[in-house]
DNA sequence: GCAAACCCCAGTGGAGAACCGGGGTATACT
DNA sequence: AGTATACCCCGGTTCTCCACTGGGGTTTGC
């Protein structure tokens, strides 16, 4: 139930890509890592899995970098964390004597998961960007 | 976001204690472990943390065992998992350059947690027991 | 007093998180 | 063409936590 570093990094990186989305220019790992102070070699791995999941695409070579494959309002936070956290179809693991009680417990846990996922589904990268901008405005107001 | 073994075991054990609550007699680790097929030495540790959290009390010596400290409808699933999962006050860990973006991300994660916790808050051990009984009835119906 | 229970502490094996590093490959620019 | 600049892939490391096992101590009922 804790927000992992992985997911936070991924969200921050995609948020950065969101704000540069309209330029059409790719953003480089180094730039993202510097702005959000994320270890760059680690971020590289995360972006690789995001690429494999189809959320971003990469351009190799000089002047390369990463771009979102979709508009920021089409990518939900659920898309991000579920791919980075590796949902794995959650597997319904074992064979062994599953008691009635454990079925009941797992059933209610599904409700918990669905409640959490509902929240993640309703927010998009766009929403995050807007919240950040709103927060920036607030900070400026208070500064004056 | 996955249900850990720990929490599942703890919930199953408390569910077992719930059904024997009206007898007033203590239930032993071995009995609980056998019925829910949980490794007993492991369950011992979980019951110890539940005891330290005040959810159960223990009776030592021969004919000893564990009892709920409260009625089953007074113990929410949130009480159980938060104590077993060790909430640790979630610590707001680091000092370092927290960016505006990461504050926004964490703010939305709080919403996710609260949604999950809301579900856990609304269910009690009593509810689990009733669901189990209902499920048993269903199974009997289908069996005929 | 003795066996049945809980109590405490310690250790182990495996998995995953959060990194770091090296060498390979594609691409833009000169 | 050649070179610098990016991404790409594969590996290892340290650390923490989970799930579990084991040994020895203490309380209690018969």
């Amino acid at each position: 139930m804790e927000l992992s570093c992985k997911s936070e990094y991924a969200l921050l990186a995609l948020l950065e890509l969101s704000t540069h989305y309209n330029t059409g220019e790719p953003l480089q790992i180094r730039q993202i890592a510097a702005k959000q102070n994320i270890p760059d070699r680690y971020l590289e791995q995360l972006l690789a899995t995001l690429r494999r999941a189809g959320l971003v695409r990469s351009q190799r070579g000089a002047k390369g970098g990463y771009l979102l494959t979709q508009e920021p309002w089409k990518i939900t936070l659920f898309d991000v964390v579920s791919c980075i956290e590796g949902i794995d179809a959650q597997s319904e693991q074992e064979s062994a004597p599953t008691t009635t009680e454990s079925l009941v417990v797992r059933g209610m846990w599904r409700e918990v998961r669905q409640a959490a996922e509902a929240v993640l589904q309703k927010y998009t990268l766009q929403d995050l960007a807007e919240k950040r901008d709103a927060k920036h405005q607030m900070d400026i107001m208070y500064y004056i």
Side-chain angles (χ1 to χ4, degrees), chain A residues 12-66:
Chain A
L12 292 173
L14 290 180
L15 185 47
E16 211 65 28
L17 289 177
S18 294
T19 73
H20 285 76
Y21 178 75
N22 50 352
T23 72
E25 298 272 301
L27 247 184
Q28 289 154 211
I29 291 178
R30 311 286 293 277
Q31 299 172 16
I32 302 172
K35 223 170 215 169
Q36 297 297 330
N37 57 288
I38 301 172
D40 51 353
R41 300 306 305 273
Y42 192 40
L43 180 57
E44 188 181 344
Q45 294 176 44
L46 301 180
L47 285 170
T49 76
L50 291 175
R51 178 176 51 82
R52 280 187 275 268
L55 290 179
V56 301
R57 66 189 180 80
S58 62
Q59 184 165 334
R60 301 181 67 164
K63 299 277 174 183
Y66 288 89

